[in-house]
Amino acid sequence: MKINISQRDGIPIYLQIIQQIKNLIVSKRIVENHELPPIRVLAEQLIVNPNTIARAYRELEVAGWIYKKRGSGTFVAPISDELTQQTCQQQIRSQIESVFKQAEQLNISPAQIIEMVQQQSKLESKE
Amino acid sequence: MKINISQRDGIPIYLQIIQQIKNLIVSKRIVENHELPPIRVLAEQLIVNPNTIARAYRELEVAGWIYKKRGSGTFVAPISDELTQQTCQQQIRSQIESVFKQAEQLNISPAQIIEMVQQQSKLESKE
Amino acid sequence: MKINISQRDGIPIYLQIIQQIKNLIVSKRIVENHELPPIRVLAEQLIVNPNTIARAYRELEVAGWIYKKRGSGTFVAPISDELTQQTCQQQIRSQIESVFKQAEQLNISPAQIIEMVQQQSKLESKE
Amino acid sequence: MKINISQRDGIPIYLQIIQQIKNLIVSKRIVENHELPPIRVLAEQLIVNPNTIARAYRELEVAGWIYKKRGSGTFVAPISDELTQQTCQQQIRSQIESVFKQAEQLNISPAQIIEMVQQQSKLESKE
DNA sequence: GTGGTCTAGACCACG
DNA sequence: GTGGTCTAGACCACC
């Protein structure tokens, strides 16, 4: 499981882990009911305090992304539609909203943004 | 000078202020050598502690965006060429790029993003 | 860690602390990756407000002298080669040079300075 | 009268002026009972607030370096011996003392300082 | 436990 | 009037 932690960029480590595990799940690189590495193993791998991993797992469990079986480990939960389509769209929407806010202060019009988005879209489709 | 502070989104107030003043400068809404509001005035306007404004101003000064004259006030520094309108478009572009990256990991297509951007654009124009 | 603060000589406390910690690092009395005292501990030791220490540490971090690990403490950064024993002699040399310049303007001869330095040297050795 | 002010190096302007006028007097570039420029003239020349010049003159007068004649101007006072030898030596002495303090923290011995001073002394005599 | 942010308010230095 | 420093103490995030 490839996870990259940057120790010094200000983003809390446990949030970096949560985000990257979410991405691994959504992109199907870890499939449903597959086992995640034990807390201590992952902690050792990432050179991070085990408490930090534990916190990431705990919050992922509360949010329904993973589940724990007593005595046997931690596993990826079946992806419910609400976790994918709905909440994911909301996440993107709020990012878009912040782009508009930022643009307003930089004297960039909504029309320009749409244009830039379409340009970017073409770049993406080529890759 | 329009600055919006959100007290509850977790981003430190002084960083919000720094970012927005940078934007005002880059977009030429505050011109070179123009005086910024005094610390205490801005503090009162934003309903924030003067120390918080002072910290934002101090860090902007260290970074070379503004300069202070002892006893007489705070002023916008001459803009270095790196920070023109062009590079400020780049700022937005990189934000848009990260939206696409995030969307890809979340299984949201470029077409969907364009749609969402257009919806948001309509909301903006109504305000 | 020996740090001396003079409360009344007009030099801001946080600058005194910054300077002295730099000296301790350059002279290898605190070695690379060694932990500095926690903010609150040093504050208590120097009978100074924790915020004042925090400011000194923050500026030292920005300047690259120390680094912080979230939740676990503050540590001495690896020393860049510019800051070896050699350049720290240069620091003293430039101070001595400025003594001579000042003396010249005050009609005090180099011979007199040497005499005064030797006197001072004797005082130091007695302490 | 040549006086150089640096607006942005942190040293108060009035102190820069005081120091430079003292040096002009000690080095006999302005002789006893010679008239200094009026406050407003000097203020205009240095592009500085007249209050700042006034403060410098006031403190120089209190210290006995200059004197004012009502209605006719400001003049250089006769240099008393206490103003030259005694206080000047004290000034140098305190500078030397601070060199030793600084050196102690940098692991530089008094013996090394004496050596460095003697080296510097030779450089000075050549110029 | 660690450091980070923020507030409220005092006092000082500068122009 | 301006900004700068410092204190006292609260609350939060992270490990």
Side-chain angles (χ1 to χ4, degrees):
Chain A
M1 216 172 73
K2 287 181 190 173
I3 291 184
N4 302 309
I5 300 301
S6 69
Q7 285 275 0
R8 291 186 198 176
D9 71 352
I11 300 170
I13 295 171
Y14 78 97
L15 287 178
Q16 295 182 46
I17 294 168
I18 288 174
Q19 188 54 50
Q20 297 199 39
I21 290 180
K22 280 186 184 174
N23 288 343
L24 287 168
I25 294 173
V26 170
S27 64
K28 307 280 184 188
R29 271 168 282 190
I30 325 179
V31 295
E32 268 179 45
N33 299 315
H34 188 281
E35 186 175 359
L36 290 167
I39 287 178
R40 291 177 197 183
V41 171
L42 189 53
E44 201 174 346
Q45 179 191 324
L46 303 181
I47 314 170
V48 145
N49 190 307
N51 287 328
T52 307
I53 307 291
R55 177 163 183 188
Y57 277 17
R58 194 191 327 130
E59 302 209 359
L60 281 166
E61 189 183 23
V62 168
W65 289 81
I66 65 180
Y67 62 92
K68 290 172 187 157
K69 281 191 197 164
R70 272 172 303 185
S72 74
T74 306
F75 303 86
V76 176
I79 307 180
S80 67
D81 284 352
E82 48 175 347
L83 284 174
T84 51
Q85 291 313 77
Q86 200 174 331
T87 65
C88 289
Q89 283 204 5
Q90 239 167 359
Q91 200 175 326
I92 295 295
R93 256 184 234 283
S94 79
Q95 269 197 49
I96 289 173
E97 198 176 341
S98 86
V99 170
F100 275 87
K101 272 189 192 163
Q102 179 83 356
E104 190 194 346
Q105 290 197 320
L106 293 170
N107 264 341
I108 292 180
S109 71
Q112 279 175 293
I113 291 177
I114 292 177
E115 192 185 353
M116 288 158 89
V117 168
Q118 286 170 337
Q119 282 174 12
Q120 186 63 34
S121 163
K122 285 175 193 166
L123 287 177
E124 296 290 327
S125 62
K126 283 181 188 167
E127 284 168 11
Chain B
M1 222 174 68
K2 286 180 192 173
I3 290 183
N4 303 309
I5 300 301
S6 71
Q7 290 274 5
R8 289 186 197 174
D9 70 354
I11 300 172
I13 296 173
Y14 78 94
L15 287 178
Q16 296 182 46
I17 294 169
I18 288 175
Q19 186 55 50
Q20 297 199 40
I21 290 181
K22 281 185 185 175
N23 287 345
L24 288 168
I25 293 174
V26 168
S27 64
K28 309 272 186 191
R29 286 186 215 192
I30 327 179
V31 295
E32 260 178 54
N33 300 315
H34 189 280
E35 188 172 357
L36 291 168
I39 288 178
R40 297 185 240 267
V41 170
L42 189 53
E44 200 175 348
Q45 179 190 323
L46 302 182
I47 314 171
V48 143
N49 189 289
N51 283 327
T52 305
I53 308 291
R55 178 163 183 191
Y57 277 17
R58 192 191 319 133
E59 303 211 353
L60 282 166
E61 190 184 25
V62 168
W65 289 81
I66 65 180
Y67 63 92
K68 291 172 191 151
K69 280 192 199 162
R70 278 188 299 271
S72 77
T74 304
F75 305 84
V76 176
I79 305 179
S80 67
D81 287 347
E82 318 163 76
L83 305 164
T84 57
Q85 189 70 3
Q86 230 179 359
T87 64
C88 101
Q89 283 202 7
Q90 245 168 355
Q91 201 176 323
I92 295 294
R93 257 182 234 283
S94 78
Q95 269 197 49
I96 290 173
E97 199 177 340
S98 84
V99 170
F100 275 88
K101 273 187 192 163
Q102 181 77 2
E104 191 196 346
Q105 290 192 320
L106 296 170
N107 275 333
I108 292 179
S109 73
Q112 280 175 292
I113 291 176
I114 291 177
E115 192 186 352
M116 288 157 90
V117 168
Q118 285 170 338
Q119 283 173 12
Q120 186 63 33
S121 163
K122 285 175 193 163
L123 287 178
E124 297 289 326
S125 63
K126 284 180 188 166
E127 283 169 12
Chain C
M1 222 174 69
K2 285 180 190 172
I3 290 182
N4 303 308
I5 300 301
S6 70
Q7 289 273 5
R8 289 186 196 173
D9 71 354
I11 299 171
I13 296 172
Y14 77 95
L15 287 179
Q16 296 182 46
I17 295 168
I18 288 174
Q19 186 56 50
Q20 298 199 40
I21 290 180
K22 281 185 185 175
N23 287 345
L24 288 168
I25 293 173
V26 168
S27 64
K28 309 273 187 188
R29 285 185 217 194
I30 328 180
V31 296
E32 260 179 54
N33 299 316
H34 188 280
E35 188 172 356
L36 290 168
I39 289 178
R40 296 186 241 265
V41 171
L42 188 53
E44 199 175 348
Q45 179 189 324
L46 302 182
I47 314 171
V48 144
N49 188 287
N51 283 328
T52 305
I53 308 292
R55 177 163 183 191
Y57 277 16
R58 193 192 320 135
E59 303 211 354
L60 282 167
E61 189 184 25
V62 168
W65 289 80
I66 65 180
Y67 63 93
K68 293 171 191 152
K69 281 192 199 161
R70 276 188 300 271
S72 78
T74 305
F75 305 85
V76 176
I79 305 179
S80 67
D81 286 348
E82 318 163 76
L83 305 165
T84 56
Q85 189 70 1
Q86 232 179 358
T87 63
C88 101
Q89 282 202 9
Q90 245 169 355
Q91 200 176 325
I92 294 294
R93 259 182 235 284
S94 79
Q95 269 197 49
I96 290 173
E97 199 177 341
S98 86
V99 170
F100 275 88
K101 271 188 192 161
Q102 181 76 3
E104 190 195 347
Q105 290 191 319
L106 296 170
N107 274 334
I108 292 179
S109 72
Q112 280 175 292
I113 292 177
I114 292 177
E115 192 187 354
M116 287 156 90
V117 168
Q118 286 170 335
Q119 283 173 11
Q120 186 63 33
S121 163
K122 286 173 193 164
L123 288 177
E124 296 290 325
S125 61
K126 284 180 188 166
E127 282 167 11
Chain D
M1 216 171 74
K2 286 181 191 173
I3 290 182
N4 302 310
I5 300 301
S6 69
Q7 286 275 2
R8 291 188 197 177
D9 71 352
I11 299 170
I13 295 172
Y14 80 95
L15 287 178
Q16 295 183 46
I17 294 169
I18 288 175
Q19 188 56 50
Q20 296 199 40
I21 290 181
K22 280 185 185 174
N23 288 344
L24 287 168
I25 294 173
V26 170
S27 64
K28 307 281 184 187
R29 271 169 281 189
I30 326 178
V31 295
E32 269 180 42
N33 300 315
H34 187 280
E35 187 175 358
L36 290 167
I39 287 178
R40 291 179 196 182
V41 171
L42 189 53
E44 199 173 347
Q45 179 191 324
L46 303 182
I47 314 169
V48 144
N49 190 306
N51 286 329
T52 307
I53 308 292
R55 177 162 183 188
Y57 278 17
R58 195 190 326 130
E59 302 209 359
L60 282 167
E61 189 184 22
V62 169
W65 290 80
I66 65 179
Y67 62 92
K68 290 172 188 157
K69 280 190 197 166
R70 272 172 303 186
S72 74
T74 306
F75 304 86
V76 176
I79 307 180
S80 66
D81 284 351
E82 46 175 350
L83 284 174
T84 51
Q85 291 313 79
Q86 201 174 331
T87 64
C88 291
Q89 284 204 5
Q90 241 167 359
Q91 200 175 326
I92 294 296
R93 257 183 235 282
S94 78
Q95 271 197 47
I96 289 172
E97 199 176 342
S98 85
V99 170
F100 275 88
K101 272 189 191 162
Q102 179 81 355
E104 190 194 345
Q105 290 198 320
L106 293 171
N107 263 343
I108 293 179
S109 71
Q112 279 175 294
I113 292 178
I114 291 177
E115 192 186 353
M116 287 158 89
V117 168
Q118 285 170 336
Q119 282 173 12
Q120 186 63 34
S121 163
K122 286 175 193 166
L123 287 177
E124 296 290 326
S125 62
K126 284 181 188 168
E127 283 168 13

